[in-house]
Amino acid sequence: GWIIAGSLIFKPRGPMEYQQAVRHMRKNRYKEAVEVMNKLIKAEPKNPNHLRFRAELLRLWGQTGQARRDYKKMIEIAPDSAVAYNGLAEVELQVGNYESARQAALKAYELAPDEWVAVYNLGMIEDRLGESSAAVDHLNQALAAKVPDARHRLLIHLYLARAYARQGNMDAARQSVKGVKRHGGGLNEWQVILQSDQAQTLRDVLADDIETARALAYDEISVEALGE
């Protein structure tokens, strides 16, 4: 997840081929990384984890169309896989297909209602769509699900602040901005992660949000500006 394949940058897991693919990826040799996975998938075509891993590599490479096909193939193989729908939602978000992203995210949430990643991504997509009421509901659910790391809690508070400001609920928006300010460590984490060569996908999707969070944390923009 966002996540957006961010875990691949730091935590390669799985068969030997996964390790080989990640070594290529870290040298920006995405073609070679995907070719390693192509061979593994040819040998084991019904393993959805292999498709997921290749899809994440493809997303890092910017090959969103091929990544979308892999997630859809995952759904064919494992129709109850929240991971597959969540990955599809992230691809659609990555390319700006927000309504398609929301439909996939809703399915992921339906399949895994207690998983914070699914409801967090759904709330993020609703932020993009300006669906403030739904975003508030889902982002608060994500917080209640105990999001484990500060960097994602930071963004949840940002999206909540924006949703409340759009609704004209400035008191709630200010409370959420306090949440942004409490997560300075998360801001630092994002700034380190975004410097990675493999973080272009993350930069494309999240850089503006992270800059807004930074500006709020340092009182460079007003809460009212979030609702404009």
Side-chain angles (χ1 to χ4, degrees), residues 5 8 18 21 30 33-42 45 47-61 63 66-71 73-74:
L8 273 189
Y18 289 31
Y30 294 104
V34 169
E35 285 172 351
V36 170
M37 293 307 299
N38 289 347
K39 292 176 184 175
L40 183 58
I41 289 167
K42 186 174 182 180
N47 187 320
N49 292 326
H50 300 344
L51 288 164
R52 176 193 183 184
F53 199 84
R54 185 172 67 180
E56 291 183 345
L57 290 168
L58 288 163
R59 287 160 67 190
L60 290 171
W61 192 11
Q63 303 295 320
Q66 292 178 57
R68 182 189 290 112
R69 284 196 292 274
D70 275 355
Y71 285 123
K73 185 65 176 177
M74 273 185 76

Side-chain angles (χ1 to χ4, degrees), residues 192-208:
V192 170
I193 289 169
L194 293 190
Q195 291 172 8
S196 166
D197 288 344
Q198 286 77 43
Q200 185 58 52
T201 299
L202 283 165
R203 287 192 290 270
D204 291 345
V205 175
L206 295 178
D208 288 348

Side-chain angles (χ1 to χ4, degrees), residues 89-103:
E90 291 183 356
V91 169
E92 299 293 7
L93 174 61
Q94 186 177 341
V95 299
N97 293 337
Y98 298 137
E99 191 53 50
S100 296
R102 179 167 66 169
Q103 292 307 313

Side-chain angles (χ1 to χ4, degrees), residues 93-208:
L93 174 61
Q94 186 177 341
V95 299
N97 293 337
Y98 298 137
E99 191 53 50
S100 296
R102 179 167 66 169
Q103 292 307 313
L106 281 167
K107 186 65 176 177
Y109 174 53
E110 175 189 319
L111 290 166
D114 299 323
E115 292 290 334
W116 73 266
V117 171
V119 72
Y120 160 79
N121 277 346
L122 180 55
M124 180 195 300
I125 292 160
E126 289 161 344
D127 167 76
R128 300 295 198 272
L129 286 165
E131 299 281 354
S132 297
S133 180
V136 165
D137 287 346
H138 291 131
L139 292 165
N140 277 314
Q141 285 181 49
L143 284 178
K146 306 295 184 187
V147 176
D149 56 87
R151 67 182 183 272
H152 290 105
R153 292 197 300 273
L154 171 90
L155 291 180
I156 289 171
H157 288 296
L158 168 64
Y159 301 143
L160 280 170
R162 193 147 58 197
Y164 286 131
R166 286 168 172 165
Q167 291 178 324
N169 187 346
M170 302 316 295
D171 288 342
R174 289 187 190 94
Q175 286 299 119
S176 294
V177 170
K178 289 180 182 177
V180 171
K181 292 181 176 183
R182 284 197 305 272
H183 287 81
L187 187 59
N188 293 337
E189 284 182 48
W190 278 124
Q191 289 170 336
V192 170
I193 289 169
L194 293 190
Q195 291 172 8
S196 166
D197 288 344
Q198 286 77 43
Q200 185 58 52
T201 299
L202 283 165
R203 287 192 290 270
D204 291 345
V205 175
L206 295 178
D208 288 348

